[in-house]
Every structure is written in structure tokens, then in C-alpha cells.
Amino acid sequence: MFEQAFKNIDDVLWKEAGCTTELDYTEQTSWLLFLKYLDGLEQDLADEAALDGKKYSYILDSPYRWESWAAPKGKDGKLDHNKALTGDDLRDFANNKLFPYLHGFKLKASGPNTIEYKIGEIFGEIKNKIQSGYNMREIIDHIDELRFRSQAEKHELSHLYEAKIRNMGNAGRNGGEYYTPRPLIRAIVQVVKPRLGERIYDGACGSAGFLCESYEYLKHAHPKRTTAEDRKLQERTFYGKEKKSLAYVIAIMNMILHGIEAPNILHTNTLTENLADIQEKDRYDVVLANPPFGGKERKEVQQNFPIRTGETAFLFLQHFIKMLKAGGRGGVVIKNTFLSNTDNASVSLRKLLLESCSLHTVLDCPGGTFLGAGVKTVVLFFEKGAPTRKVWFYQLDPGRNLGKTNPLNDADLAEFVKLQKTFADSPKSWSVDAESIDQTTLDLSVKNPNGGEELTHRSPQAILDEIAALDAESAQVLGNIKGLL
């Protein structure tokens, strides 16, 4: 039923002039889903209060509750068409009354981790793009069919929502920013092994895939949790930050659907924090992240970091190392050029990583792992507090070309997860002593001694020479064709 409802919503949005991409579909579905979820949450809290003989104080005033404006019901439990807004009335209510009212919650909230703050943040950042009130009425009717009350319902909805995020990731370059393949995330989580009671952090959380998968991992690892452990898992385990408005909204909704009721996600640019200001109380036990790469940060942002560079991912890596407690563990995705770049910032960053952390594992991912990204990546696994003695490399080779119709799957990563436990050698894996690494360049792009592919890019000069040779060849072919005319 839920799957059909999602399909019906997309069909309506496809007809909507204001929504042109999969990103728009997900965004517009998200804010309506959030309000429907909030209504269910308030109903549950009101029922609990009534059982205790108490009066529940609603978060939303009566005119702005889902049951008042979106889906007023008659005594028969069906939509009351006399009270339900539609057409221009519905659109104008959403744009001129609902959104301004909900945005105002940011000022009323007692702190950033409250549901009130999240409401204000979400509705200050996104806009209603559904221009037809009739289309909006149709979408609302479909969303009203969805139920969030039981764990089974939330579980099914979370799977469908993940599928929407995946489709958004497949929608092109921008969509790919929000989606890290879930099989890769699960493998990273299995290697890092977060423990119950630890605080887990992603400072570039996107759609919160790492946090959601960590939650699933801990739930399955500890099926018999106490009430106190459950509360800690809900409230004081998962922490994220996200700069982009759409990703922030999706992260909140994704975590809610996975069962985390008030996610600790802040809408902020992580890189504007000065590393010198980070104190012990700010640090985390585990960092899991796929920070954006290829971006450029302004000079004033670079001032916050000891190793100054415009490359976003390199700034994030410094931030993550600083945010880890001594003995803390990290699993971070980064461009594979990080292993071999010869610029001062890259060499300094490798030196920082190797000296302040034990970089025990490097997973080399094949091209096509990230749809639309156009770059190859590696995953760095490290533990803070002791220098690197030995690095274990694993070259992931699924034996096929990865792409939209043939993505990475859990089976592709099973051998990596198994071998990593003992750092075993194999045709795809090998170890390197830190002492054998060139101490001047600290180049980590080691060739697989078992005959695998080189973990490095060709030099710029070699690429230019090839371009020149191809140009000369093209000129010769064109000359031959002209000679025939």
C-alpha cells in the first residue's frame, strides 16, 4: 500500500510545473511527510498524557495541525470535503500562513536539539513548490493514507524513503552529493564496529545514511536493550551536521523514519568552526563520513585550519581527526588522489594522519562506486592516539562495471569485511610497513604486489603527452581524408 502511495505522489508531482527533478520530488514529499509524522507523534503523546490523567500541551496550534488544514475528518473517519481546503485556498494557506507560522518556531525553541527548533529550521529553509492547489490536495490525500504508528510501518516507510533518496542520487551530479551507496556504508560500519554507549558523529551527513545504518547495526547487535540504553540510543548517540537545506530536511526525515524521534542534526557549515576552539567535551568516539570533495572553500574558512587548502574534503579530514577522542575510530571516504598528491597541503595532511592516528586500513573503491561523481575514491580507517605502524590495503574489484543499473551490493564487500578482521593477504589485499613509506613524499599509492592495478593517477605530464599524441594522430587522419577529396 505504501509503495503505491509513493508512486501516486510522484505521478502527481510529475504533472506539477514547479517540480522538475527527482530532487524536487523528494523535497516536496519530505515536508508533507514530516507534518503527517508530527501529527501522529502529537496524537501518541496526547494519548499517553490522557492515560496518565494529564493534559497534553500541543506543539502546533489547532489551525496548523494536519487534522485541521490537511485532512479534516467527519464522524465517519473520512475526509470532510466541506472543511478540507483545495485549489488556490490550499496553496495560499500553505504559502502565506502555514510556512511563516512553522518557520517562527526557530525563535521559540529552547535549543537546537528540540523538535520545535527542527520545525523552524526545516520550514525556514525549503519552500512549497507545488503551484497547483488541486495537485497539493491530491498529494495530501495520498500522504494521509500513510501511517507511522507501528515499528513495522516505520520500517516499510524508511525503505521506501531510502529508495527515493537513491533515485535522487541517480538523478545526476547534484543528486549524487546526497547519496552514499548503502552497501559501502554498511561495510564501513561493520569494520569500525560502533559500540552501545559511544557517540557517533558525521559532520557532513547528507541524507544521514551513516547515522541510520549505525543505528540499525547497534539495534541488531543489542536486541535486549534496557529502557535506559534505548533512551541513550535515541537521544545521545548520533550527531550530525549538514550545510545544505535539502539534505538537512532529508536527513531529519530519514532518521525519523528509521526510528530516531528527535535527531541531533544541526543545519550549519561544519568548516566554519575553528579547530582551535574544539574542546574535549566536543569530541566523539566514532566518526563515519563521506565529506564532499572537489568543492572549494573561501580564504576565511581556510583560516580555521592548521593545514590550509581550498579542497573541502581535506579540510573535513582535519576536522574529523580533531573531533575524535583519543582511542576514537574513523571511517572516512576521500578521493584516491589524497594518497599520492604532491602539493604541500596533501603531504602535510598525510603526515598528520600517519603521525597522530593509526591508519590501519585503506579500501580502494572502483570507478562507478559513486554514480555521477566521476572520481575514484578510497576509504580510510584509522584510530586516533598512536602513530601508524602498518597499513593494510584492499583493492575492491567486483568483476564488473558498476553503474546505475548495476550498483555496488553487499556481496561485493563481503570478502573485504571478512579479510579485514585479520588483515589477511590475498590477491586483492596486502600490507605495507609505515617505515617503508617514502618519508619525504609520504606517498601511500602502493602498487598491488599481487599484480593488481596501480593505486595512483598518471602524472599530469604523461596525460598531456598522450593528448598531444592523440591530437597529432587526429591531424594526420584529417590530412589523409582531405587528400582523398
Side-chain angles (χ1 to χ4, degrees), residues 186-203:
R186 282 191 284 272
I188 293 171
V189 170
Q190 285 169 39
V191 167
V192 175
K193 297 186 186 67
R195 296 186 283 266
L196 202 60
E198 291 185 322
R199 298 198 323 147
I200 301 164
Y201 172 68
D202 183 351

Side-chain angles (χ1 to χ4, degrees), residues 24 43 64 98 123 153 163 214 224 234 245 285 291 364 370:
D24 292 332
Q43 296 292 344
Y64 302 99
L98 181 65
F123 288 92
E153 287 167 339
S214 298
K224 295 179 180 176
Q234 276 281 338
S245 309
D285 302 284
D364 178 47
F370 291 86

Side-chain angles (χ1 to χ4, degrees), residues 359-415:
L359 174 67
H360 56 80
T361 300
V362 173
L363 169 63
D364 178 47
C365 299
T369 301
F370 291 86
L371 296 172
V375 294
K376 285 191 68 181
T377 56
V378 292
V379 186
L380 308 174
F381 295 89
F382 50 92
E383 187 170 321
K384 185 175 173 179
T388 302
R389 299 277 179 240
K390 187 177 278 193
V391 187
W392 183 74
F393 290 83
Y394 183 91
Q395 205 156 39
L396 183 62
D397 178 12
R400 64 184 193 284
N401 290 329
L402 299 176
K404 197 178 290 190
T405 56
N406 203 356
L408 200 65
N409 61 50
D410 291 301
D412 294 328
L413 288 143
E415 184 188 69

Side-chain angles (χ1 to χ4, degrees), residues 454-471:
E454 184 91 20
L455 276 186
T456 184
H457 281 270
R458 291 178 300 157
S459 70
Q461 190 57 51
I463 294 169
L464 289 170
D465 289 346
E466 184 179 341
I467 291 169
L470 289 169
D471 284 347

